[in-house]
């Protein structure tokens, strides 16, 4: 269900929008991945002057998904994975239309991946330690790890933005984005993550819509994340989860300038964030 009572599709200055999505997937719908999912998003625009050039805009998004029994059997997997969810049905946050202090989908439960050769050469691990998961990844350089979004089972996200004129064709904005993404009920034992990121930006009124440049400022997040790597057994690649998590902070050990720049996220897009 979608209702749009805003006054402009690309750059609204008054009115509201509301969207509600309800999904059910089970054996009755011939689905392999089985779940119940609900999500809702509401945005509102309040003008502060008669010409509607100064606007307060707000957005609230919430959602939850619950896996149903039968997914593992339908996919021919171990029954221990009965809480499996398809990645597209999990919830993510971060990006130019979400929490702008983060890259796309990078706010929320995540895992780290790393090349096994790095663990052997830099962390002193052995191939046997990789196979049985006893390798400690904390000695490997932080830049060699790749954070991968795992998604969550629920999300609450909110934004508020003040838009004001700078010139006839330029508009400024200051904003605060926040979100909490809950842990996903899968074999990846991740945790819930919450962040609040302020920022500012400018918009250029082009014929195709407002060209938007936003700068989000992220907090310093020091996380304990699960590490996945791979081994080769009998000529086949196999993912391995290491027993010891990695204390991960991508800004750790960098220069002062790198730490400052590392907290800034630049977004360029067409159209308002919401």
């Amino acid at each position: 269900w979608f209702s749009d009572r805003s006054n402009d599709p690309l750059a609204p200055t008054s009115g509201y929008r509301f969207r509600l999505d309800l999904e059910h997937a089970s054996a009755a719908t011939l689905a392999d991945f089985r779940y119940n999912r609900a999500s809702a998003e509401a945005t509102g625009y309040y003008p502060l002057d008669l010409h509607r050039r100064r606007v307060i805009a707000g957005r609230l998004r919430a959602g939850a998904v619950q896996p149903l029994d039968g997914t593992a059997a339908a996919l021919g997997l171990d029954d221990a994975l009965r809480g499996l969810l398809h990645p597209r049905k999990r919830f993510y946050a971060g990006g130019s239309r979400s929490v702008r202090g983060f890259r796309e989908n990078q706010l929320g439960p995540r895992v780290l991946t790393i090349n096994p050769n790095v663990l052997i050469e830099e962390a002193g691990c052995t191939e046997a330690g990789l196979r049985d998961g006893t390798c400690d990844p904390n000695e490997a350089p932080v830049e060699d790890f790749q954070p991968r979004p795992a998604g969550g089972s629920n999300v609450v996200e909110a934004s508020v933005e003040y838009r004001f004129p700078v010139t006839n064709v330029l508009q400024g904005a200051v904003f605060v984005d926040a979100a909490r993404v809950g842990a996903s009920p899968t074999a990846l034992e991740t945790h819930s993550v919450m962040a609040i990121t302020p920022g500012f930006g400018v918009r250029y009124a082009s014929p195709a819509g407002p060209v938007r440049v936003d700068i989000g400022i992220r907090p310093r997040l020091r996380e304990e994340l699960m590490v996945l790597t791979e081994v080769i057994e009998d000529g086949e690649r196999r993912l391995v989860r290491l027993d010891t998590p990695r204390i991960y902070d991508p800004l750790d050990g960098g220069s002062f300038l790198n730490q400052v720049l590392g907290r800034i996220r630049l977004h360029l897009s067409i159209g308002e964030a919401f």
Side-chain angles (χ1 to χ4, degrees):
W1 182 59
F2 178 64
S3 177
D4 188 347
R5 296 294 183 268
S6 63
N7 65 332
D8 189 278
L10 295 178
T13 56
S14 65
Y16 68 88
R17 295 170 180 166
F18 183 79
R19 178 186 296 275
L20 174 66
D21 292 306
L22 301 175
E23 298 180 42
H24 169 75
S26 65
T29 65
L30 305 180
D32 290 334
F33 286 89
R34 299 169 184 182
Y35 60 89
N36 289 320
R37 189 179 192 271
S39 62
E41 181 173 337
T43 57
Y45 313 94
Y46 183 76
L48 299 179
D49 57 44
L50 293 178
H51 299 288
R52 298 180 179 179
R53 299 197 67 193
R54 293 176 173 84
V55 177
I56 292 288
R59 179 176 67 96
L60 179 64
R61 178 173 76 108
V65 59
Q66 179 184 20
L68 301 177
D69 292 339
T71 296
L75 296 174
L77 301 175
D78 192 307
D79 191 56
L81 298 176
R82 59 182 179 275
L84 188 65
L85 283 169
H86 194 283
R88 290 184 179 271
K89 296 305 174 182
R90 299 170 187 164
F91 291 98
Y92 305 86
S96 66
R97 297 183 180 273
S98 180
V99 181
R100 284 164 277 185
F102 290 80
R103 289 182 296 171
E104 194 75 19
N105 297 336
Q106 286 294 322
L107 173 58
R110 300 186 297 173
V111 298
L112 297 174
T113 59
I114 187 171
N115 189 309
N117 294 327
V118 174
L119 292 174
I120 294 175
E121 297 170 3
E122 301 290 343
C125 296
T126 63
E127 292 186 3
L130 294 179
R131 290 191 181 92
D132 61 21
T134 58
C135 167
D136 186 348
N138 285 282
E139 297 301 322
V142 66
E143 61 270 15
D144 288 321
F145 291 88
Q146 296 294 323
R148 311 286 186 183
S153 59
N154 56 80
V155 65
V156 177
E157 185 176 317
S159 298
V160 61
E161 183 170 279
Y162 172 53
R163 302 166 184 169
F164 55 91
V166 177
T167 68
N168 289 335
V169 295
L170 283 181
Q171 185 181 49
V174 291
F175 56 83
V176 176
D177 302 324
R180 178 190 180 276
V181 185
S184 180
T186 68
L188 301 179
E189 296 175 3
T190 52
H191 59 280
S192 301
V193 179
M194 176 179 178
I196 301 174
T197 68
F200 59 92
V202 294
R203 291 93 172 91
Y204 170 71
S206 76
V211 177
R212 176 167 56 94
V213 179
D214 281 336
I215 294 178
I217 304 170
R218 58 164 289 179
R220 181 166 184 166
L221 284 181
R222 185 178 178 88
E223 301 177 84
E224 186 178 272
L225 299 179
M226 178 196 311
V227 178
L228 300 177
T229 187
E230 64 177 13
V231 296
I232 299 178
E233 292 183 345
D234 300 326
E236 296 184 355
R237 297 180 182 272
R238 178 173 67 89
L239 281 178
V240 175
R241 171 186 169 180
L242 302 184
D243 297 336
T244 304
R246 165 77 193 204
I247 306 300
Y248 181 72
D249 183 352
L251 305 180
D252 192 25
S255 66
F256 175 77
L257 179 60
N258 287 337
Q259 294 204 22
V260 171
L261 295 178
R263 298 192 185 194
I264 295 175
R265 185 60 54 192
L266 176 67
H267 300 281
L268 175 63
S269 56
I270 296 180
E272 296 288 1
F274 51 88

